[in-house]
Amino acid sequence: MVHPTTMKEIARQLGVTVSTVSRALQNHPSIGLRTRERVHELAKRLDYVPNPTAINLKRRRTHNIGVVLPFLTEQFFSTAISAIEDVAISKGYSVVVMQSRNDYERERLVVGNLVKHGVDGIIVSLASETQNNSHFLEVNKHGIPIVFFDRVARNLPNSCVYVDVTAGAIEAVEYLISLGLSRIALLNGPGTLQATDERLKGYVTVMNRHGIPINRAYVRSVNLSKEDTARKMSELLDLPEPPQAVLAFNDYVALDAMQVCRQRGLAINQDIYFGSFSNLPFCSYLEHPPIASIEQFPHDMGTKAIQLLIAAIEDPQHFTREEVVIPHKLIVRQ
Amino acid sequence: MVHPTTMKEIARQLGVTVSTVSRALQNHPSIGLRTRERVHELAKRLDYVPNPTAINLKRRRTHNIGVVLPFLTEQFFSTAISAIEDVAISKGYSVVVMQSRNDYERERLVVGNLVKHGVDGIIVSLASETQNNSHFLEVNKHGIPIVFFDRVARNLPNSCVYVDVTAGAIEAVEYLISLGLSRIALLNGPGTLQATDERLKGYVTVMNRHGIPINRAYVRSVNLSKEDTARKMSELLDLPEPPQAVLAFNDYVALDAMQVCRQRGLAINQDIYFGSFSNLPFCSYLEHPPIASIEQFPHDMGTKAIQLLIAAIEDPQHFTREEVVIPHKLIVRQ
DNA sequence: CTGTTAGCGCATTCAA
DNA sequence: TTGAATGCGCTAACAG
């Protein structure tokens, strides 16, 4: 089928106008029953499918929404997208995904692609290397709504959805301390992420609260790669007084760090304890998982993000910026 | 910006025609240097972005490709999508994702959405419950190319990309036997999937080859849910002569089954061994992973699938059906 | 109840 | 070198 059936073709074969066909197809009340039936019948026989592009052109809407996030392969993000896709479908939208790979330049590129591509709105979880928001300002200038989730840019005039990471960090560290541990390290994320600051803040809060002096050698940043995590964890273990526990930026960092510990003969949840963020499902398959993890409910975050976005798309006049804080939860294992 | 800048607006402000603007923007040689510069300058000043919908309407192409697969949250699939997205971007396409959740009706629905939405082509990994291909025939009728990957429908006239699962099963079972194990069970997938038959065929081949009689109680199907897997694994363990090893449909099935074993006090890779398919990255974090897993290279499958699809989109005349078999690899752990 | 007309934003053929 | 005219496929206001 080189040329798909169009309304014009149906109109020709039926000897009526295109507008008649158009109205018949939409079951417009002003069309004669007889005509309507003939049109529908022929349309079915010719496998007529309305050309979405033409409709979009008229409606000035594509019903496409773009999602930009670091990695599709991280279950945290794929869970969020899964939720987003679910809501999107139920509301008649499609989801276009693009990964930034935590690379600032690539994030710029794909965000640009999305506007060139004509999405009605964009959901973003920032690349860890992004330190400049000009590409989002650009999108705003075009009147395309954005909603940030998890890795948000709170200084932009767009809505965002996130969890209170500081509170989460506080709970996690409190829990580690309640186990009688005091030499607690922080394997934090890159300084470009707000979430990194927030974890640090929670960590410091609890340490101060308990009068535990902060050992600066215990606080390290990783770029979220396996290699960097392994290096930083090794450095921690090489300290004259290695930590008894580590609060990791997320489960991936925790897992990579735990692997280093095991290679050095340390028993997890015995010689050394881990706290982390995300509570990824596959941790439930581990015999020695991080003992505490902050569940961040990516499914809820994704759901809320797309609800906000669709609201912004469908009623741009009345929509105002929102900051939604999704409740987190400390999960204790074993 | 309620009304984005259009060529018409630029033309008006410059006192030229839309056609001039159009040509100037494309750097058409027949446009005076002076005019071209003025157009470009004003376009930039007004933040002109060409309306992709209008261009699509003219070009009769959307540069959107749809991907339908069971679950975005399974790393096997997210890895494939990740590869697909990568190639897509580099070729100027965008990826629209939809998950079938292994549900036949939902698969029908989203495939229909994709054609209504106007994608140029579709990549599919079948839902496990799909037993009828009429929705794909429908797509074919509209001249939209499809490429299947991993969970393929080889009886359809579309290209497909997969690994030789039978060969993989043969290698895995051979390996288990080489460990001195002979009571080997098969925790297979749903009967609707070709991949299920293929695993069975490999299993039977090796058992016959070694003269090991096939215990029909050892061969079970699961619907890929955690609960069903747990139930079937329990049944295996309840047999008067429980298996010494299990070949699982994939790593998820293996993990769920292994959990049941552990709960019963069995030591993995000691009291009972597991072979599986996928070799998911997070298995490397397990202290007792499946001892053998068939790596299926989802990244390669995705890459090949989209290459075939783009070829079919861009040269529909010369394109012919292809079946691509991606090499697999037996990964032995520990 | 149906046809006519116009237009969405852009590319392109044909004139000038 | 530029403009005028046409059409991609569809919707909708207006007219009859």
Side-chain angles (χ1 to χ4, degrees):
Chain A
M1 186 176 297
V2 181
H3 288 295
T5 309
T6 66
M7 294 196 330
K8 187 195 281 181
E9 175 64 15
I10 297 178
R12 197 185 59 72
Q13 295 198 25
L14 253 38
V16 297
T17 359
V18 174
S19 8
T20 304
V21 175
S22 170
R23 283 180 287 224
L25 254 15
Q26 318 177 49
N27 294 318
H28 193 285
S30 77
I31 288 293
L33 185 58
R34 176 91 190 90
T35 315
R36 185 192 307 181
E37 277 171 355
R38 288 175 62 219
V39 169
H40 273 108
E41 195 194 344
L42 185 56
K44 175 172 295 181
R45 223 158 43 70
L46 298 182
D47 289 312
Y48 171 74
V49 174
N51 181 325
T53 308
I55 296 177
N56 289 341
L57 183 58
K58 281 228 63 102
R59 300 232 182 286
R60 290 138 170 273
R61 282 270 195 80
T62 61
H63 281 265
N64 274 158
I65 74 128
V67 179
V68 180
L69 35 69
F71 288 103
L72 284 166
T73 47
E74 291 194 7
Q75 193 164 5
F76 178 82
F77 293 115
S78 62
T79 302
I81 280 227
S82 174
I84 289 170
E85 189 255 358
D86 218 29
V87 176
I89 288 201
S90 73
K91 305 259 186 180
Y93 288 80
S94 297
V95 176
V96 178
V97 296
M98 308 238 156
Q99 31 191 354
S100 64
R101 300 167 179 272
N102 276 339
D103 175 4
Y104 171 57
E105 283 306 333
R106 188 171 163 111
E107 185 175 83
R108 287 190 76 89
L109 172 74
V110 298
V111 166
N113 281 353
L114 285 176
V115 347
K116 273 193 240 151
H117 216 98
V119 293
D120 291 340
I122 304 183
I123 294 178
V124 178
S125 191
L126 289 173
S128 58
E129 291 178 0
T130 295
Q131 16 203 340
N132 166 323
N133 295 325
S134 59
H135 47 319
F136 297 119
L137 294 174
E138 199 65 33
V139 175
N140 284 331
K141 210 153 48 179
H142 290 294
I144 300 174
I146 306 181
V147 173
F148 292 93
F149 82 96
D150 189 52
R151 300 195 187 168
V152 305
R154 290 177 57 189
N155 55 336
L156 287 180
N158 305 286
S159 294
C160 46
V161 180
Y162 53 90
V163 302
D164 185 343
V165 171
T166 301
I170 289 176
E171 290 176 38
V173 178
E174 282 285 4
Y175 179 74
L176 293 173
I177 291 180
S178 78
L179 295 179
L181 309 166
S182 59
R183 297 203 311 275
I184 301 174
L186 175 61
L187 224 39
N188 214 346
T192 41
L193 289 180
Q194 279 185 14
T196 296
D197 291 341
E198 292 168 5
R199 283 165 174 78
L200 178 61
K201 200 191 301 175
Y203 172 83
V204 170
T205 301
V206 180
M207 298 302 264
N208 286 343
R209 184 186 287 169
H210 288 268
I212 303 175
I214 290 179
N215 181 342
R216 297 200 54 184
Y218 277 3
V219 178
R220 306 199 172 225
S221 265
V222 305
N223 66 11
L224 304 184
S225 75
K226 187 186 185 78
E227 296 68 32
D228 199 40
T229 298
R231 189 177 322 120
K232 300 296 165 57
M233 185 68 224
S234 288
E235 290 171 9
L236 286 175
L237 295 178
D238 287 338
L239 290 174
E241 204 171 36
Q244 303 164 301
V246 176
L247 177 63
F249 182 77
N250 63 27
D251 281 333
Y252 293 101
V253 171
L255 286 172
D256 289 329
M258 286 160 67
Q259 216 165 33
V260 171
C261 294
R262 275 209 303 274
Q263 283 161 6
R264 296 220 185 179
L266 296 175
I268 307 299
N269 294 342
Q270 197 169 321
D271 299 326
I272 189 163
Y273 292 80
F274 280 83
S276 71
F277 293 79
S278 284
N279 184 37
L280 292 176
F282 71 74
C283 284
S284 66
Y285 292 115
L286 296 175
E287 292 177 49
H288 304 288
I291 195 150
S293 190
I294 302 293
E295 168 67 61
Q296 298 180 279
F297 301 104
H299 189 279
D300 294 351
M301 278 208 250
T303 302
K304 192 65 200 175
I306 187 164
Q307 285 169 345
L308 286 177
L309 187 69
I310 290 181
I313 291 171
E314 301 192 343
D315 193 356
Q317 322 298 341
H318 299 121
F319 188 79
T320 54
R321 179 178 192 280
E322 277 194 55
E323 276 197 29
V324 178
V325 180
I326 300 287
H328 60 277
K329 189 171 177 205
L330 175 75
I331 306 289
V332 173
R333 294 220 194 71
Q334 288 197 326
Chain B
M1 187 176 294
V2 182
H3 289 295
T5 310
T6 66
M7 295 197 328
K8 186 196 280 183
E9 176 62 14
I10 296 178
R12 197 185 58 72
Q13 294 197 26
L14 254 38
V16 297
T17 1
V18 174
S19 4
T20 304
V21 175
S22 171
R23 283 181 285 227
L25 254 15
Q26 321 176 48
N27 294 319
H28 193 286
S30 78
I31 289 294
L33 185 59
R34 177 89 191 93
T35 315
R36 184 192 307 180
E37 277 172 355
R38 288 175 63 217
V39 170
H40 273 107
E41 195 194 342
L42 185 56
K44 175 172 295 180
R45 223 159 40 72
L46 298 181
D47 289 312
Y48 171 74
V49 174
N51 181 325
T53 309
I55 296 177
N56 290 340
L57 183 58
K58 281 221 74 92
R59 299 234 182 289
R60 291 137 170 275
R61 282 270 194 80
T62 61
H63 281 266
N64 273 157
I65 75 127
V67 178
V68 180
L69 36 70
F71 287 103
L72 284 166
T73 47
E74 290 194 9
Q75 192 163 7
F76 179 82
F77 293 115
S78 61
T79 302
I81 280 226
S82 175
I84 289 170
E85 189 255 356
D86 217 29
V87 176
I89 288 201
S90 74
K91 305 260 186 180
Y93 288 80
S94 297
V95 176
V96 178
V97 296
M98 307 241 156
Q99 31 190 353
S100 64
R101 298 165 180 273
N102 276 338
D103 175 3
Y104 171 57
E105 284 306 332
R106 188 171 163 111
E107 184 176 85
R108 286 191 77 88
L109 173 74
V110 299
V111 166
N113 281 353
L114 285 176
V115 347
K116 273 193 241 148
H117 224 95
V119 294
D120 291 341
I122 303 183
I123 294 178
V124 179
S125 191
L126 288 173
S128 57
E129 291 177 1
T130 295
Q131 16 201 340
N132 166 324
N133 295 323
S134 59
H135 47 319
F136 298 119
L137 294 174
E138 199 64 32
V139 176
N140 284 330
K141 209 153 49 177
H142 290 295
I144 299 174
I146 305 181
V147 174
F148 291 95
F149 82 95
D150 189 51
R151 301 196 186 166
V152 305
R154 289 176 59 189
N155 55 336
L156 287 180
N158 305 285
S159 294
C160 47
V161 181
Y162 52 89
V163 302
D164 185 343
V165 170
T166 302
I170 289 176
E171 290 175 37
V173 178
E174 282 286 4
Y175 179 74
L176 293 172
I177 289 180
S178 77
L179 295 179
L181 308 166
S182 58
R183 300 203 308 276
I184 301 174
L186 175 61
L187 224 40
N188 214 345
T192 42
L193 289 179
Q194 279 185 15
T196 296
D197 291 340
E198 293 169 5
R199 281 164 174 78
L200 177 62
K201 199 191 303 175
Y203 171 84
V204 170
T205 301
V206 180
M207 299 302 265
N208 287 344
R209 184 187 289 169
H210 288 268
I212 304 174
I214 290 179
N215 181 342
R216 296 200 55 183
Y218 277 2
V219 177
R220 308 201 171 224
S221 265
V222 306
N223 67 10
L224 305 185
S225 75
K226 187 186 186 77
E227 296 68 32
D228 199 40
T229 298
R231 188 178 322 120
K232 301 296 165 58
M233 185 67 225
S234 288
E235 290 171 11
L236 286 175
L237 295 178
D238 287 338
L239 290 174
E241 205 171 37
Q244 304 165 300
V246 176
L247 178 63
F249 182 77
N250 63 27
D251 282 334
Y252 293 101
V253 171
L255 286 172
D256 289 331
M258 286 159 68
Q259 217 166 31
V260 171
C261 295
R262 274 209 305 273
Q263 283 161 7
R264 296 218 185 180
L266 296 176
I268 307 299
N269 294 342
Q270 196 169 322
D271 300 325
I272 188 163
Y273 293 79
F274 280 83
S276 71
F277 292 79
S278 284
N279 184 37
L280 292 176
F282 71 73
C283 285
S284 66
Y285 293 114
L286 296 174
E287 291 177 48
H288 303 289
I291 195 148
S293 191
I294 301 294
E295 168 67 62
Q296 298 180 277
F297 301 103
H299 190 280
D300 294 352
M301 279 209 250
T303 301
K304 192 64 199 177
I306 186 161
Q307 285 169 345
L308 287 177
L309 186 69
I310 290 181
I313 291 171
E314 300 191 343
D315 193 356
Q317 323 296 342
H318 299 121
F319 187 80
T320 55
R321 179 178 193 281
E322 276 194 55
E323 276 197 29
V324 178
V325 180
I326 299 287
H328 60 278
K329 190 171 176 204
L330 175 74
I331 306 289
V332 174
R333 294 220 192 72
Q334 291 196 326

